[in-house]
């Protein structure tokens, strides 16, 4: 029976040149290829690239809607106070509605709930644009923007898919969570820039309109990937994940971490304005997000050397330490350039903290309630952002812009104390 060429042994080609015998070996120089890296291995699973693309399209508007609404409302009504109040109302509505939406997703499936929830939120977005454009009463703006609170937590749904696909594989889940956190940072870094560009170069409603199109397109593409969707968990008497062991202090830690983000944004804008470079505030804040994005990818490429419960306090401690750099830069130099470098370095501890915190959320959330558990964490962040923005603004007005950088340091210190007390309490259980 003749052999296939690939089944024959690799023999060298022999030839004679003059009085010399030459052997030529045409076999590949390397028999084994270099093993794929952690992120390449992550996307070898069928369907993961498609749902990630849809998720990124749906997640980008999360960084666009608020600033688009502020530009649109302030431009039409001439009041930043009204614009801020409307967006704050939407934030509060999201904090209330999002956990219920996530619970429905856990019980009935991502595609079945996320698509109609997104469609309803899109109607609220369209209503907001029409009310602003045609000069409807102010109360209609609050109602319209509150209706967008049904937007599903696409980042949480994506993390739930990774947890379903790689259940029990902590190393791969660590890489997946790191990628998702880097994606969060990238979207919140590019979203405001894109929104400001669209609203300024086209028309005031352009940012909201494009954001809505990206949102529904992304959610439809994401929901269409049914092979990677976690099965629904039809529980009727399940308790909220808030009551799960270890969850309350962890959610309080997310609340304190959100206060870091909210205060840092307000204080940096005020500091740049005081230096006469208010337009550069967005670029300066983008450096912080860039540092976090890069650190998240590097963190995910490394194999965890300790359990998440031990890594989390260390990450929070590093975050608290690095957040002193912007305070020192503002106090000692009173210049935007050193502050930019300090924010870049300070951002590098954010992603590892968030990645490890999300890993703990996944571990402590009862089975079948993962979307709800992660949405509660996001709700904690949103609440912290609102509190941090208010605290940062008050310190800037009452004391100084430089003193304002003490607010994120205080919030990080509080997060560290919560993490240490929680760790000590669990050791004594």
């Amino acid at each position: 029976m003749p052999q296939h060429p690939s089944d024959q042994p690799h023999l060298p080609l022999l030839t004679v040149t003059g009085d010399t015998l030459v052997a030529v070996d045409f076999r590949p120089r390397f028999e084994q290829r270099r093993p794929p890296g952690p992120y390449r291995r992550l996307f070898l699973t069928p369907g993961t690239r498609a749902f990630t693309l849809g998720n990124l399209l749906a997640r980008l508007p999360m960084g666009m809607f608020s600033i688009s609404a502020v530009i649109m409302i302030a431009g039409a009504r001439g009041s930043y106070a009204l614009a801020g109040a409307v967006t704050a109302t939407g934030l509060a509505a999201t904090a209330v509605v999002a956990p219920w939406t996530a619970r429905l997703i856990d019980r009935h499936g991502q595609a079945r709930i996320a698509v109609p929830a997104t469609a309803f939120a899109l109607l609220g977005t369209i209503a907001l644009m029409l009310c602003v454009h045609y000069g409807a009463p102010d109360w209609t703006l609050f109602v319209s923007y509150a209706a967008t609170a049904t937007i599903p937590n696409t980042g949480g749904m994506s993390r739930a898919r990774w947890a379903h696909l790689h259940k029990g594989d902590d190393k791969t889940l660590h890489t997946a969570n790191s990628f998702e956190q880097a994606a969060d940072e990238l979207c919140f870094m590019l979203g405001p820039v894109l929104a400001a560009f669209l609203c300024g170069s086209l028309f005031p409603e352009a940012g909201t309109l494009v954001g809505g199109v990206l949102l529904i397109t992304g959610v439809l593409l994401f929901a269409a990937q049914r092979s990677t969707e976690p099965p629904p968990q039809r529980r009727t008497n399940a308790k909220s994940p808030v009551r799960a062991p270890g969850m309350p202090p962890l959610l309080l830690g997310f609340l304190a971490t959100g206060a870091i983000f909210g205060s840092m944004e307000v204080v940096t804008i005020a500091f740049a304005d005081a230096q006469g470079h208010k337009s550069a505030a967005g670029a300066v804040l983008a450096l912080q997000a860039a540092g976090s994005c890069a650190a998240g990818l590097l963190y995910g490429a490394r194999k965890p050397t300790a359990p998440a419960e031990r890594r989390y306090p260390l990450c929070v401690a590093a975050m608290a330490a690095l957040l002193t750099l912007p305070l020192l830069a503002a106090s000692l130099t009173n210049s935007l350039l050193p502050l930019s470098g300090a924010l870049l370095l300070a951002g590098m501890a954010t992603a590892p903290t968030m990645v490890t915190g999300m890993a703990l959320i996944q571990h402590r959330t009862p089975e079948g309630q993962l979307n709800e558990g992660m949405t509660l964490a996001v709700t904690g962040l949103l609440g912290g952002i609102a509190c941090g923005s208010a605290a940062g603004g008050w310190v800037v007005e009452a004391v100084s812009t430089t003193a304002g950088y003490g607010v994120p340091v205080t919030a990080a210190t509080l997060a560290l104390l919560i993490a240490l007390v929680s760790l000590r309490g669990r050791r004594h259980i």
Side-chain angles (χ1 to χ4, degrees), residues 211-301:
V213 172
L214 288 174
L215 175 65
I216 191 65
T217 302
V219 169
L220 288 174
L221 177 59
F222 180 85
Q225 314 308 313
R226 304 301 291 269
S227 63
T228 56
E229 182 179 352
Q233 304 290 329
R234 300 185 181 278
R235 294 185 175 186
T236 56
N237 298 319
K239 297 180 180 180
S240 172
V242 173
R243 302 182 182 182
M247 284 290 280
L250 191 56
L251 294 176
L252 287 176
F254 273 85
L255 183 70
T257 304
I260 296 172
F261 302 150
S263 59
M264 187 68 76
E265 181 176 355
V266 171
V267 173
T268 299
I269 292 173
F271 186 87
D273 190 20
Q275 303 301 313
H277 301 287
K278 186 177 182 179
S279 60
V284 174
L285 288 169
L287 285 175
Q288 183 186 10
S292 181
C293 180
L297 292 175
L298 291 174
Y299 187 65

Side-chain angles (χ1 to χ4, degrees), residues 173-205:
L173 286 178
H174 171 73
T175 303
N177 285 330
S178 299
F179 172 80
E180 292 296 330
Q181 185 60 37
D184 278 340
E185 300 292 348
L186 183 65
C187 290
F188 279 97
M189 180 172 58
L190 298 179
V193 176
L194 177 60
F197 171 77
L198 291 172
C199 293
S201 60
L202 298 179
F203 48 91
E205 297 86 0

